């Protein structure tokens, strides 16, 4: 087998402090603890985990302390992206050993060059607002960062999806200037994927010569209402993660894996062939 590299992606953890349920209903902490156990048990084990934003629910220091504790048992390096529910300084303060979060002064934008796949994290957050934007400064940083390694396969990650999903109440808080992001990405064919969260669903779109993959949430999911008037509501559909499996021959394959346990696996075949 050729060289391989596996990135597990989870998203939208929405951790609260003090045992509080999110929206008085969802035990997001328990869901994350379960997700961590699950990711640790995967075989082969992912090389790294990326978490595409909404790490906590209200950006509070005590929520980040709870998050930190819940992520502690993770047996592989993990990398953090800010979402609209996050607060940059509180996030940084809770993870002082995550030096990459300080690559830029103002924004949590970073790149990691340690692996066969280059990882680039973008900060699409606008403080106090649910939608996303990438200002000229952040886009210029992306342009320069991509230009610095034009032949290395790369994942670009941000919280806000750069497309219209059809789910009205989420579309009003998408990445507003997705065309400007597309202009940069289009110039850099080494971008294997753009990974995002925010929509709490598995969604794909062709984007700027590459593919955007949106990751489901670790606890609650956004209801699948393809309607511009869709009310803002969530459903307890199965939490899931994305497993991005990279090899030199095939580049990147993306699987969706469930975080809950289900019956099986059972064999298709026995000593007589396909089981009848
Ligand atoms: Fe979220």
């Amino acid at each position: 087998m050729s060289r391989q590299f596996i990135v597990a992606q989870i998203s939208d953890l929405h951790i609260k402090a003090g045992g509080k349920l999110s929206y008085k209903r969802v035990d997001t902490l328990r869901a994350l603890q379960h997700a961590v156990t699950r990711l640790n048990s995967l075989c082969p084990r992912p090389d790294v985990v990326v978490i595409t934003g909404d790490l906590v629910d209200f950006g509070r220091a005590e929520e980040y302390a709870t998050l930190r504790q819940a992520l502690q048992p993770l047996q592989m390096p993990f990398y953090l992206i800010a979402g609209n529910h996050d607060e940059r300084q509180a996030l940084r303060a809770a993870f002082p050993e995550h030096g990459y979060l300080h690559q830029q002064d103002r924004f949590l934008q970073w790149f990691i060059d340690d692996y066969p796949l280059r990882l680039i994290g973008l900060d699409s957050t606008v403080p106090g607002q649910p939608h996303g934007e990438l200002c000229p400064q952040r886009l210029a940083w992306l342009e320069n960062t991509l230009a610095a390694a034009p032949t290395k396969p790369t994942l670009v990650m941000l919280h806000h999806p750069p497309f219209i999903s059809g789910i009205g109440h989420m579309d009003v808080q998408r990445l507003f200037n997705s065309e400007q992001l597309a202009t940069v990405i289009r110039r850099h064919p080494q971008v294997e994927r753009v990974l995002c969260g925010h929509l709490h669903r598995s969604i794909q779109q062709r984007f700027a010569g590459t593919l955007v993959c949106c990751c489901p949430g670790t606890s609650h999911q956004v209801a699948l209402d393809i309607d511009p008037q869709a009310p803002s509501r969530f459903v307890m559909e199965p939490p899931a993660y994305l497993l991005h499996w990279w090899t030199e021959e095939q580049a990147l394959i993306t699987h969706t894996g469930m975080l809950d346990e289900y019956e099986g696996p059972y064999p298709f075949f026995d000593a007589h062939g396909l089981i009848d």
Side-chain angles (χ1 to χ4, degrees), residues 33 122 170 172 185 217 230 263:
Q33 289 164 336
L122 296 179
M170 294 304 291
V172 296
I185 299 284
E263 283 181 53

Side-chain angles (χ1 to χ4, degrees), residues 40 47 51 65 93 127-128 150 154 156 173 185-186 233 253 263 272:
N40 282 339
D47 296 286
I51 312 180
T154 299
V156 173
Q173 44 175 287
I185 299 284
R186 208 173 278 122
R233 53 188 191 172
I253 300 294
E263 283 181 53
H272 309 290

Side-chain angles (χ1 to χ4, degrees), residues 1-6 44-45 47 116 245-249:
M1 167 84 96
S2 78
R3 204 152 63 120
Q4 67 171 18
F5 183 69
I6 303 177
R45 212 169 65 185
D47 296 286
W245 175 59
W246 181 85
T247 60
E248 271 166 346
E249 286 86 9

Side-chain angles (χ1 to χ4, degrees), residues 5-193:
F5 183 69
I6 303 177
V7 178
Q9 180 188 3
I10 56 174
S11 201
D12 294 85
L13 320 178
H14 289 270
I15 295 302
K16 296 190 92 76
K20 232 172 149 182
L21 300 180
S22 285
Y23 323 112
K24 296 196 160 54
R25 214 171 265 278
V26 190
D27 191 343
T28 52
L29 176 58
R30 206 174 60 135
L32 175 59
Q33 289 164 336
H34 181 73
V36 166
T37 304
R38 188 87 164 126
L39 293 177
N40 282 339
S41 73
L42 293 179
C43 189
R45 212 169 65 185
D47 296 286
V48 298
V49 175
V50 296
I51 312 180
T52 40
D54 285 359
L55 310 175
V56 302
D57 210 29
F58 278 78
R60 296 173 183 144
E62 62 269 28
E63 294 175 340
Y64 285 110
T66 307
L67 170 72
R68 182 184 171 83
Q69 221 172 16
L71 291 174
Q72 201 86 47
L74 208 49
Q75 289 165 12
M76 52 296 249
F78 61 90
Y79 297 95
L80 303 171
I81 311 266
N84 52 296
H85 287 253
D86 291 301
E87 202 284 314
R88 290 176 188 140
Q89 299 320 323
L91 197 170
R92 270 182 177 150
F95 294 91
E97 72 281 23
H98 285 228
Y100 63 92
L101 293 173
H102 296 267
Q103 285 181 13
Q104 288 219 293
D105 279 350
R106 191 164 156 211
F107 304 112
L108 300 186
Q109 301 210 133
W110 48 262
F111 66 93
I112 305 287
D113 266 341
D114 303 349
Y115 308 113
L117 269 182
R118 195 162 189 242
L119 308 178
I120 296 182
L122 296 179
D123 181 345
S124 57
T125 65
V126 182
Q129 298 293 324
H131 75 277
E133 260 177 68
L134 291 168
C135 59
Q137 192 186 336
R138 281 173 273 186
L139 287 167
W141 177 91
L142 176 63
E143 172 69 43
N144 293 335
T145 304
L146 285 168
T151 57
K152 187 160 180 184
T154 299
L155 294 181
V156 173
M157 298 169 276
L158 75 167
H159 179 66
H160 293 87
F163 56 79
I164 292 169
S165 67
I167 305 172
H169 68 95
M170 294 304 291
D171 288 340
V172 296
Q173 44 175 287
R174 69 185 188 280
L175 181 76
F176 277 2
N177 59 335
S178 55
E179 251 322 300
Q180 288 172 290
L181 174 63
T183 301
V184 175
I185 299 284
R186 208 173 278 122
R187 279 199 284 264
H188 300 280
Q190 79 270 27
V191 177
E192 287 287 342
R193 287 285 189 287

Side-chain angles (χ1 to χ4, degrees), residues 178-237:
S178 55
E179 251 322 300
Q180 288 172 290
L181 174 63
T183 301
V184 175
I185 299 284
R186 208 173 278 122
R187 279 199 284 264
H188 300 280
Q190 79 270 27
V191 177
E192 287 287 342
R193 287 285 189 287
V194 174
L195 306 180
C196 62
H198 193 52
L199 287 165
H200 295 233
R201 301 203 65 83
S202 175
I203 307 171
Q204 292 78 37
Q205 194 219 9
R206 185 166 66 171
F207 177 79
T210 184
L211 180 68
V212 184
C213 290
C214 179
C215 186
T218 47
S219 50
H220 52 293
Q221 314 303 322
V222 168
L224 180 53
D225 294 319
I226 304 286
D227 177 357
Q229 309 303 328
S232 177
R233 53 188 191 172
F234 63 90
V235 289
M236 298 311 293
E237 288 176 3

